[in-house]
Amino acid sequence: MGDTTSIGGTRPKVLEFFAGIGLARMGLEASGFDVAWANDYELDKKTMYDAQFGESSEHSFSLGDIGGVGVEELPHGTSLAWASSPCTDLSLAGGRAGFAGSQSGTFWHFIRLLKELGDDRPEVAVLENVTGLASSHGGDDLIAAIRAFNDLGYSVDVLAIDARRFVPQSRPRLFLVGAMNPPEDTPEPNSELRPDWIQWVYGDNELRTHRAELPKPPSPLTDGFGELVEAMPATDDRWWDETRTKAFVGSLSPFQLERITKLRQSSGVKYRTAYRRTRKGVAVWEVRPDDISGCLRTARGGSSKQAVVRLGNGRLQVRWMTPREYARLMGAGDYDLSAARTTQAMFGFGDAVAVPAVSWLADNYLLPLIRGKFDGHRSPAHLEAV
């Protein structure tokens, strides 16, 4: 749980664009924010969102394409706008159409609404997306995003945060933090949050950027997936039958087979995750060597889903990862899954941002920025007066 101290007794209000199933909301509200409005176009995600948060007269959810959202729908007096915009056209798994793509291009409607808010736009705006944004079209898409924020009066900081610092899942993401009143710039040659492949942004004199002084983040986890595995007896029918398990083992490369054979023959129980890949036109399984999950993806097909492999004491069992395990790997272990089908839940979690990554950013950057607690930075007048 983050610092829930509020400004003048009021929790800063948030606009949550591309809300999905609400994991950004969970992270922000754990740190003291109040999400007042949200939008997403998928009914299945809203169904899960409603089951998790319930209904409130102080919160509204706009269901539908963001292109149809009018500025008059947005509440006044918000401090933060958060956007986890679609990454399909920016990720390696997508077509790399970038911000010109039909899905990732919805970012421009987010910018449109901020522009239409005028003087009432939030003091801070955050864009969260895949790290592929930094290289999309040779960096041009990232430049376009920063310029769009600049045109609205925001200076921009760019951070790379892997959810693996908080949960046993490899999930690197890019965060653009736009600030109307940025903190004093703290130049640095590099840092864990601003690696070499981001540094070029700060050297572009045509962009308005800043680098806030932030604490050292937690080190990336090297294990822990096994601790999140859902308890399940060896006789549970979710474990694959002998024929399917043999097919799994038969698809492994000699190197992979040698690795899991050693684990299978070892004492005690170990867990690993596995992805189905296509190599030279043939579907094969690849098992991770460590006790960390691969990046969760939207479950559009078999290759997008992860399997759990249980090894040790001479036994090997395989099954699909469960929705509860997806939730735990996103830092939302107690998420209400009562209204979700299995595929619906996997899609929702695979298309979201990890809760503890949001909370860390909120605790160490967003709240201090809104309160003006960075050295050399004053709170905006409308917040000082609250």
Side-chain angles (χ1 to χ4, degrees), residues 209-231:
T209 59
H210 65 275
R211 283 164 289 193
E213 185 174 0
L214 298 172
K216 180 181 175 64
S219 298
L221 297 177
T222 58
D223 56 31
F225 171 70
E227 299 175 8
L228 301 185
V229 172
E230 190 171 355

PDB file of all heavy atoms in Angstrom, residues 209-231:
ATOM      1  N   THR A 209      12.139  18.335 -22.298  1.00  0.00           N
ATOM      2  CA  THR A 209      12.205  17.158 -21.437  1.00  0.00           C
ATOM      3  C   THR A 209      12.798  17.519 -20.081  1.00  0.00           C
ATOM      4  O   THR A 209      13.380  18.587 -19.898  1.00  0.00           O
ATOM      5  CB  THR A 209      13.062  16.047 -22.073  1.00  0.00           C
ATOM      6  OG1 THR A 209      14.387  16.553 -22.299  1.00  0.00           O
ATOM      7  CG2 THR A 209      12.457  15.570 -23.375  1.00  0.00           C
ATOM      8  N   HIS A 210      12.649  16.606 -19.134  1.00  0.00           N
ATOM      9  CA  HIS A 210      13.255  16.764 -17.811  1.00  0.00           C
ATOM     10  C   HIS A 210      13.557  15.391 -17.254  1.00  0.00           C
ATOM     11  O   HIS A 210      13.025  14.384 -17.720  1.00  0.00           O
ATOM     12  CB  HIS A 210      12.317  17.524 -16.854  1.00  0.00           C
ATOM     13  CG  HIS A 210      11.053  16.789 -16.537  1.00  0.00           C
ATOM     14  ND1 HIS A 210       9.926  16.843 -17.346  1.00  0.00           N
ATOM     15  CD2 HIS A 210      10.729  15.946 -15.508  1.00  0.00           C
ATOM     16  CE1 HIS A 210       8.973  16.092 -16.829  1.00  0.00           C
ATOM     17  NE2 HIS A 210       9.436  15.527 -15.713  1.00  0.00           N
ATOM     18  N   ARG A 211      14.420  15.335 -16.249  1.00  0.00           N
ATOM     19  CA  ARG A 211      14.734  14.088 -15.568  1.00  0.00           C
ATOM     20  C   ARG A 211      14.591  14.314 -14.072  1.00  0.00           C
ATOM     21  O   ARG A 211      15.418  15.006 -13.461  1.00  0.00           O
ATOM     22  CB  ARG A 211      16.164  13.633 -15.907  1.00  0.00           C
ATOM     23  CG  ARG A 211      16.308  13.006 -17.264  1.00  0.00           C
ATOM     24  CD  ARG A 211      17.741  12.925 -17.728  1.00  0.00           C
ATOM     25  NE  ARG A 211      18.257  14.253 -18.071  1.00  0.00           N
ATOM     26  CZ  ARG A 211      19.385  14.466 -18.743  1.00  0.00           C
ATOM     27  NH1 ARG A 211      20.120  13.439 -19.131  1.00  0.00           N
ATOM     28  NH2 ARG A 211      19.774  15.689 -19.016  1.00  0.00           N
ATOM     29  N   ALA A 212      13.539  13.773 -13.516  1.00  0.00           N
ATOM     30  CA  ALA A 212      13.312  13.917 -12.085  1.00  0.00           C
ATOM     31  C   ALA A 212      14.273  13.017 -11.318  1.00  0.00           C
ATOM     32  O   ALA A 212      14.608  11.910 -11.751  1.00  0.00           O
ATOM     33  CB  ALA A 212      11.872  13.549 -11.734  1.00  0.00           C
ATOM     34  N   GLU A 213      14.703  13.487 -10.162  1.00  0.00           N
ATOM     35  CA  GLU A 213      15.555  12.672  -9.295  1.00  0.00           C
ATOM     36  C   GLU A 213      14.675  11.658  -8.575  1.00  0.00           C
ATOM     37  O   GLU A 213      13.774  12.019  -7.821  1.00  0.00           O
ATOM     38  CB  GLU A 213      16.284  13.551  -8.287  1.00  0.00           C
ATOM     39  CG  GLU A 213      17.273  12.782  -7.429  1.00  0.00           C
ATOM     40  CD  GLU A 213      18.094  13.690  -6.539  1.00  0.00           C
ATOM     41  OE1 GLU A 213      17.894  14.922  -6.589  1.00  0.00           O
ATOM     42  OE2 GLU A 213      18.933  13.161  -5.786  1.00  0.00           O
ATOM     43  N   LEU A 214      14.935  10.394  -8.818  1.00  0.00           N
ATOM     44  CA  LEU A 214      14.101   9.323  -8.277  1.00  0.00           C
ATOM     45  C   LEU A 214      14.945   8.362  -7.460  1.00  0.00           C
ATOM     46  O   LEU A 214      16.153   8.224  -7.688  1.00  0.00           O
ATOM     47  CB  LEU A 214      13.424   8.553  -9.412  1.00  0.00           C
ATOM     48  CG  LEU A 214      12.472   9.362 -10.297  1.00  0.00           C
ATOM     49  CD1 LEU A 214      12.037   8.537 -11.491  1.00  0.00           C
ATOM     50  CD2 LEU A 214      11.272   9.825  -9.494  1.00  0.00           C
ATOM     51  N   PRO A 215      14.330   7.681  -6.498  1.00  0.00           N
ATOM     52  CA  PRO A 215      15.072   6.686  -5.718  1.00  0.00           C
ATOM     53  C   PRO A 215      15.419   5.480  -6.568  1.00  0.00           C
ATOM     54  O   PRO A 215      14.812   5.244  -7.620  1.00  0.00           O
ATOM     55  CB  PRO A 215      14.093   6.315  -4.602  1.00  0.00           C
ATOM     56  CG  PRO A 215      12.747   6.564  -5.194  1.00  0.00           C
ATOM     57  CD  PRO A 215      12.928   7.786  -6.056  1.00  0.00           C
ATOM     58  N   LYS A 216      16.384   4.729  -6.124  1.00  0.00           N
ATOM     59  CA  LYS A 216      16.756   3.497  -6.816  1.00  0.00           C
ATOM     60  C   LYS A 216      15.596   2.513  -6.726  1.00  0.00           C
ATOM     61  O   LYS A 216      15.087   2.252  -5.637  1.00  0.00           O
ATOM     62  CB  LYS A 216      18.008   2.901  -6.175  1.00  0.00           C
ATOM     63  CG  LYS A 216      18.510   1.602  -6.817  1.00  0.00           C
ATOM     64  CD  LYS A 216      19.730   1.093  -6.085  1.00  0.00           C
ATOM     65  CE  LYS A 216      20.179  -0.265  -6.626  1.00  0.00           C
ATOM     66  NZ  LYS A 216      20.610  -0.162  -8.050  1.00  0.00           N
ATOM     67  N   PRO A 217      15.156   1.962  -7.845  1.00  0.00           N
ATOM     68  CA  PRO A 217      14.032   1.017  -7.811  1.00  0.00           C
ATOM     69  C   PRO A 217      14.487  -0.339  -7.280  1.00  0.00           C
ATOM     70  O   PRO A 217      15.691  -0.624  -7.226  1.00  0.00           O
ATOM     71  CB  PRO A 217      13.617   0.925  -9.273  1.00  0.00           C
ATOM     72  CG  PRO A 217      14.904   1.153 -10.018  1.00  0.00           C
ATOM     73  CD  PRO A 217      15.662   2.175  -9.208  1.00  0.00           C
ATOM     74  N   PRO A 218      13.557  -1.198  -6.905  1.00  0.00           N
ATOM     75  CA  PRO A 218      13.938  -2.552  -6.479  1.00  0.00           C
ATOM     76  C   PRO A 218      14.677  -3.272  -7.599  1.00  0.00           C
ATOM     77  O   PRO A 218      14.416  -3.046  -8.779  1.00  0.00           O
ATOM     78  CB  PRO A 218      12.586  -3.220  -6.184  1.00  0.00           C
ATOM     79  CG  PRO A 218      11.632  -2.087  -5.943  1.00  0.00           C
ATOM     80  CD  PRO A 218      12.104  -0.976  -6.827  1.00  0.00           C
ATOM     81  N   SER A 219      15.588  -4.149  -7.243  1.00  0.00           N
ATOM     82  CA  SER A 219      16.321  -4.934  -8.238  1.00  0.00           C
ATOM     83  C   SER A 219      15.373  -5.952  -8.876  1.00  0.00           C
ATOM     84  O   SER A 219      14.440  -6.436  -8.229  1.00  0.00           O
ATOM     85  CB  SER A 219      17.496  -5.658  -7.587  1.00  0.00           C
ATOM     86  OG  SER A 219      18.417  -4.731  -7.053  1.00  0.00           O
ATOM     87  N   PRO A 220      15.599  -6.300 -10.141  1.00  0.00           N
ATOM     88  CA  PRO A 220      14.747  -7.303 -10.797  1.00  0.00           C
ATOM     89  C   PRO A 220      14.776  -8.635 -10.047  1.00  0.00           C
ATOM     90  O   PRO A 220      15.831  -9.079  -9.587  1.00  0.00           O
ATOM     91  CB  PRO A 220      15.374  -7.431 -12.190  1.00  0.00           C
ATOM     92  CG  PRO A 220      16.067  -6.120 -12.412  1.00  0.00           C
ATOM     93  CD  PRO A 220      16.589  -5.720 -11.073  1.00  0.00           C
ATOM     94  N   LEU A 221      13.619  -9.260  -9.928  1.00  0.00           N
ATOM     95  CA  LEU A 221      13.529 -10.545  -9.248  1.00  0.00           C
ATOM     96  C   LEU A 221      14.176 -11.636 -10.090  1.00  0.00           C
ATOM     97  O   LEU A 221      14.151 -11.589 -11.327  1.00  0.00           O
ATOM     98  CB  LEU A 221      12.064 -10.899  -8.987  1.00  0.00           C
ATOM     99  CG  LEU A 221      11.282  -9.949  -8.068  1.00  0.00           C
ATOM    100  CD1 LEU A 221       9.824 -10.388  -7.977  1.00  0.00           C
ATOM    101  CD2 LEU A 221      11.900  -9.911  -6.683  1.00  0.00           C
ATOM    102  N   THR A 222      14.752 -12.607  -9.431  1.00  0.00           N
ATOM    103  CA  THR A 222      15.363 -13.743 -10.119  1.00  0.00           C
ATOM    104  C   THR A 222      14.583 -15.028  -9.906  1.00  0.00           C
ATOM    105  O   THR A 222      14.898 -16.058 -10.497  1.00  0.00           O
ATOM    106  CB  THR A 222      16.810 -13.945  -9.639  1.00  0.00           C
ATOM    107  OG1 THR A 222      16.813 -14.141  -8.215  1.00  0.00           O
ATOM    108  CG2 THR A 222      17.667 -12.732  -9.975  1.00  0.00           C
ATOM    109  N   ASP A 223      13.578 -14.977  -9.052  1.00  0.00           N
ATOM    110  CA  ASP A 223      12.728 -16.148  -8.826  1.00  0.00           C
ATOM    111  C   ASP A 223      11.403 -15.679  -8.220  1.00  0.00           C
ATOM    112  O   ASP A 223      11.169 -14.486  -8.102  1.00  0.00           O
ATOM    113  CB  ASP A 223      13.414 -17.165  -7.904  1.00  0.00           C
ATOM    114  CG  ASP A 223      13.826 -16.562  -6.568  1.00  0.00           C
ATOM    115  OD1 ASP A 223      13.144 -15.628  -6.076  1.00  0.00           O
ATOM    116  OD2 ASP A 223      14.836 -17.010  -5.998  1.00  0.00           O
ATOM    117  N   GLY A 224      10.552 -16.636  -7.872  1.00  0.00           N
ATOM    118  CA  GLY A 224       9.294 -16.274  -7.219  1.00  0.00           C
ATOM    119  C   GLY A 224       8.044 -16.768  -7.905  1.00  0.00           C
ATOM    120  O   GLY A 224       6.966 -16.734  -7.312  1.00  0.00           O
ATOM    121  N   PHE A 225       8.169 -17.218  -9.165  1.00  0.00           N
ATOM    122  CA  PHE A 225       6.952 -17.684  -9.834  1.00  0.00           C
ATOM    123  C   PHE A 225       6.326 -18.861  -9.096  1.00  0.00           C
ATOM    124  O   PHE A 225       5.112 -18.935  -8.938  1.00  0.00           O
ATOM    125  CB  PHE A 225       7.242 -18.071 -11.288  1.00  0.00           C
ATOM    126  CG  PHE A 225       6.079 -18.766 -11.951  1.00  0.00           C
ATOM    127  CD1 PHE A 225       4.919 -18.061 -12.260  1.00  0.00           C
ATOM    128  CD2 PHE A 225       6.116 -20.129 -12.235  1.00  0.00           C
ATOM    129  CE1 PHE A 225       3.832 -18.694 -12.835  1.00  0.00           C
ATOM    130  CE2 PHE A 225       5.035 -20.770 -12.818  1.00  0.00           C
ATOM    131  CZ  PHE A 225       3.888 -20.049 -13.121  1.00  0.00           C
ATOM    132  N   GLY A 226       7.165 -19.774  -8.651  1.00  0.00           N
ATOM    133  CA  GLY A 226       6.651 -20.959  -7.970  1.00  0.00           C
ATOM    134  C   GLY A 226       5.803 -20.627  -6.763  1.00  0.00           C
ATOM    135  O   GLY A 226       4.875 -21.366  -6.411  1.00  0.00           O
ATOM    136  N   GLU A 227       6.105 -19.488  -6.118  1.00  0.00           N
ATOM    137  CA  GLU A 227       5.344 -19.085  -4.940  1.00  0.00           C
ATOM    138  C   GLU A 227       3.954 -18.577  -5.295  1.00  0.00           C
ATOM    139  O   GLU A 227       3.075 -18.489  -4.427  1.00  0.00           O
ATOM    140  CB  GLU A 227       6.109 -18.001  -4.174  1.00  0.00           C
ATOM    141  CG  GLU A 227       7.474 -18.467  -3.658  1.00  0.00           C
ATOM    142  CD  GLU A 227       8.259 -17.347  -3.019  1.00  0.00           C
ATOM    143  OE1 GLU A 227       7.673 -16.249  -2.842  1.00  0.00           O
ATOM    144  OE2 GLU A 227       9.439 -17.545  -2.706  1.00  0.00           O
ATOM    145  N   LEU A 228       3.745 -18.224  -6.560  1.00  0.00           N
ATOM    146  CA  LEU A 228       2.453 -17.687  -6.996  1.00  0.00           C
ATOM    147  C   LEU A 228       1.572 -18.731  -7.676  1.00  0.00           C
ATOM    148  O   LEU A 228       0.418 -18.451  -7.998  1.00  0.00           O
ATOM    149  CB  LEU A 228       2.670 -16.515  -7.971  1.00  0.00           C
ATOM    150  CG  LEU A 228       3.473 -15.321  -7.452  1.00  0.00           C
ATOM    151  CD1 LEU A 228       3.483 -14.214  -8.497  1.00  0.00           C
ATOM    152  CD2 LEU A 228       2.901 -14.792  -6.146  1.00  0.00           C
ATOM    153  N   VAL A 229       2.117 -19.915  -7.888  1.00  0.00           N
ATOM    154  CA  VAL A 229       1.350 -20.958  -8.572  1.00  0.00           C
ATOM    155  C   VAL A 229       0.143 -21.358  -7.729  1.00  0.00           C
ATOM    156  O   VAL A 229       0.236 -21.548  -6.513  1.00  0.00           O
ATOM    157  CB  VAL A 229       2.238 -22.191  -8.841  1.00  0.00           C
ATOM    158  CG1 VAL A 229       1.398 -23.353  -9.361  1.00  0.00           C
ATOM    159  CG2 VAL A 229       3.326 -21.840  -9.850  1.00  0.00           C
ATOM    160  N   GLU A 230      -0.986 -21.484  -8.385  1.00  0.00           N
ATOM    161  CA  GLU A 230      -2.223 -21.852  -7.703  1.00  0.00           C
ATOM    162  C   GLU A 230      -2.142 -23.298  -7.209  1.00  0.00           C
ATOM    163  O   GLU A 230      -1.764 -24.205  -7.964  1.00  0.00           O
ATOM    164  CB  GLU A 230      -3.399 -21.686  -8.659  1.00  0.00           C
ATOM    165  CG  GLU A 230      -4.757 -21.807  -8.007  1.00  0.00           C
ATOM    166  CD  GLU A 230      -5.889 -21.417  -8.948  1.00  0.00           C
ATOM    167  OE1 GLU A 230      -5.620 -20.956 -10.072  1.00  0.00           O
ATOM    168  OE2 GLU A 230      -7.058 -21.575  -8.528  1.00  0.00           O
ATOM    169  N   ALA A 231      -2.455 -23.515  -5.948  1.00  0.00           N
ATOM    170  CA  ALA A 231      -2.412 -24.863  -5.376  1.00  0.00           C
ATOM    171  C   ALA A 231      -3.368 -25.773  -6.136  1.00  0.00           C
ATOM    172  O   ALA A 231      -4.541 -25.444  -6.331  1.00  0.00           O
ATOM    173  CB  ALA A 231      -2.780 -24.811  -3.892  1.00  0.00           C
TER     174      ALA A 231
END
